[in-house]
Amino acid sequence: QVQLVESGGGLVQAGGSLRLSCAASGVIFRINAMGWYRQVPGKQRELVATITSGDNTNYAESVKGRFTISRDNAKNTVYLQMNSLKPEDTAVYYCNADLWTTAWRTSPNNYWGQGTQVTVSS
């Protein structure tokens, strides 16, 4: 059983900063990639940033230069440093992990965190 535990969400004013954390726990053989997604009511979930096991990163155009994704392999933890926050960043942010629980599985499994609310006031 794999679980993703998130923390760090909250309420900030425009221009402020927040740091989100997500730790994966359980039986984990290897993590392929981890990332952050966000969603607002009535809209599709969208990618914010991802990071692979080789530390390659990918960002949504709207957050480039403001957000930074990183990870601690020893702790199976991914972080999202969010700077220069804007009201349009307001959303529920979800942690995602793509990983193998055993050595012999051919395809990784995908897991989601419970989500953490980020609200940016103008």
Side-chain angles (χ1 to χ4, degrees):
Q1 191 174 27
V2 175
Q3 188 169 5
L4 306 182
V5 180
E6 299 162 285
S7 62
L11 173 64
V12 297
Q13 292 189 135
S17 298
L18 285 174
R19 184 177 187 247
L20 305 183
S21 300
C22 173
S25 62
V27 180
I28 301 172
F29 176 74
R30 180 180 296 177
I31 295 179
N32 183 46
M34 298 185 76
W36 292 93
Y37 297 74
R38 66 188 182 187
Q39 188 171 23
V40 299
K43 301 189 71 174
Q44 295 290 321
R45 182 182 61 200
E46 65 178 7
L47 181 148
V48 177
T50 60
I51 185 167
T52 69
S53 60
D55 285 339
N56 295 123
T57 58
N58 183 44
Y59 295 92
E61 188 66 29
S62 60
V63 307
K64 286 182 178 178
R66 300 188 297 120
F67 292 8
T68 302
I69 189 169
S70 61
R71 73 179 202 175
D72 185 330
N73 293 336
K75 296 181 178 180
N76 290 331
T77 299
V78 65
Y79 306 93
L80 185 68
Q81 179 65 48
M82 304 185 293
N83 298 324
S84 302
L85 283 162
K86 305 175 180 179
E88 50 262 44
D89 294 319
T90 296
V92 177
Y93 284 69
Y94 295 92
C95 177
N96 178 267
D98 199 55
L99 58 87
W100 292 268
T101 58
T102 62
W104 62 84
R105 292 189 178 184
T106 59
S107 300
N109 299 119
N110 197 255
Y111 299 89
W112 290 94
Q114 76 284 356
T116 184
Q117 178 71 48
V118 171
T119 302
V120 184
S121 61
S122 60

